[in-house]
Amino acid sequence: MKRQRQPLILVVMVALFALASPVSAQEAEPQEFEDITQIVADVRGLEPLRPIELTPMTREQLAVELQEDLLEDYPEDEQYADERELLAFGLMDEHIDFGDLYIDLYSEQIAGYYDPETSEMVVIRDATDEAGFTPSQEVTYAHEIVHALQDQHFDLDAGVLDREPLSDDQALAVTALIEGDASYAELQYLMENPELLEAFLQEIEVTEFDSSVLDAAPVIISNTLIFPYEHGLTFVEALYSEGGWDLVNQALADPPASTEQILHPEKYLDGGAPVEIEVADFTQELGDDWTVFDTNTFGEYQLRVILGETSMGEEQAERAAAGWGGDTYLVAGTDTEDAILWESAWDTPQDAEEFARAWALYETERWGVGPTYVADNVLQFETDEVVTRVILDGDEVTYAMAPNVEMLETILAAEAAPATPAATPIS
């Protein structure tokens, strides 16, 4: 197959993400920061409401701060719960240390960032930095200025943009809007400065990208990290084409509710919302030693990523994940066992059937066994250690996993019973 040339818009964003060039504050004149800030504000159409505080930091200091933040904001019990969730779905190798991976990923990839909690711009500087900015440093700084402007006008960690109470899919969608906005403004900043654009592209040609940690991370993690920049950019580009920065500003006041809306901007513009789904807390039926690890949502994008790792390939995975209407899963376990109950809704029965078939392939390849038919539209996969079931019912698909058939039946019976409030998950 002939390789197609990537559009400039994607080349720029991928290069910036891979370069991870520090925004140098070592010898840059304050006026240089102020000049770039004003140009970015003019490009984005958001004037600064107050000065942006700059905090220089070395990459080593960044790693220390990330470690401190990890212990404070992401305690070990939550890390453990997330690890168990990823392992239960077969999305991570059991030998990976989740905490170390988190620190390594962000230490490698962060080039500088705006912190909405402290309203400060952290700029990464190294001892080898020369005076002034390299092209990638200037462009990265321009990107982060947009985040500062967003925060001043829309408040990034409160109200509708607060991602803390959201599902993973909702939070990823809001992040994609925020990063897509900054990325599109950054691109316009580049396009309005042809000399900077030329110098930036020349820098890309001679720079060896170091993304070894990102490349080695589980695909569900690495792709999710890149998603807000790549797909968020195309989402904001679609909004801008439809209604300029005014429409982007409206989106920041009324953000997308799912990655489906990011992947299909027309669905956001049409105002459709995902189906809200509740799943039963089955742990009470299994015993006191069972704990809920998480109740969450995959969404269209993460399902696309998961299915894309099977032999069906990415294009078929995209088709199988399209038509998503909503999903919720509950993952629970003991010290040695895991269980899952997952409900998903689809736009049509045909969409549900296509997804059920795709997930059955995922199960076949994961467990190395073929399905048995236990009833019409019900497939079961069984090994010595686990049993799972995929149930197709009209435009809905149910998936359950348990250590044995008896527990599986108990879980499904709990789902069929009148709804009871789910226990508060660890994370």
Side-chain angles (χ1 to χ4, degrees), residues 362-391:
Y362 178 79
E363 291 293 282
T364 295
E365 295 184 353
R366 178 185 180 187
W367 305 115
V369 297
T372 57
Y373 291 82
V374 296
D376 289 343
N377 296 323
V378 179
L379 298 179
Q380 183 164 297
F381 300 81
E382 188 170 358
T383 71
D384 293 338
E385 299 178 350
V386 68
V387 57
T388 71
R389 196 172 289 177
V390 180
I391 305 169

Side-chain angles (χ1 to χ4, degrees), residues 21 66 87 90 111 138 146 165 176 193 205 234 248 279 286 321 361 373 416:
S21 304
L66 284 173
L87 290 169
E138 179 175 342
V146 178
N193 191 336
E205 290 181 359
T234 56
V248 178
V279 296
L286 298 184
L361 175 63
Y373 291 82

Side-chain angles (χ1 to χ4, degrees), residues 71-189:
L71 294 174
E72 180 179 350
D73 301 330
Y74 195 25
E76 290 186 357
D77 59 342
E78 293 186 10
Q79 293 180 45
Y80 175 74
D82 286 344
E83 287 180 4
R84 290 294 298 270
E85 176 184 332
L86 290 169
L87 290 169
F89 277 106
L91 302 177
M92 186 178 77
D93 188 283
E94 62 182 0
H95 301 298
I96 292 177
D97 186 301
F98 204 62
D100 288 346
L101 176 62
Y102 172 91
I103 294 172
D104 291 345
L105 272 172
Y106 282 91
S107 297
E108 176 186 71
Q109 296 303 324
I110 286 180
Y113 62 94
Y114 175 78
D115 186 347
E117 290 188 4
T118 60
S119 299
E120 64 179 342
M121 177 84 73
V122 176
V123 288
I124 310 303
R125 63 175 178 82
D126 295 323
T128 57
D129 287 339
E130 299 177 358
F133 289 119
T134 67
S136 63
Q137 289 167 351
E138 179 175 342
V139 175
T140 303
Y141 180 62
H143 180 105
E144 297 306 321
I145 289 173
V146 178
H147 288 322
L149 297 174
Q150 291 170 332
D151 191 37
Q152 291 182 8
H153 285 265
F154 301 99
D155 200 341
L156 292 180
D157 59 355
V160 295
L161 297 178
D162 181 9
R163 284 153 282 177
E164 185 66 27
L166 303 180
S167 72
D168 284 354
D169 185 58
Q170 291 172 308
L172 188 56
V174 174
T175 301
L177 167 63
I178 293 170
E179 293 297 346
D181 177 6
S183 299
Y184 192 66
E186 168 194 317
L187 185 66
Q188 290 199 353
Y189 178 85

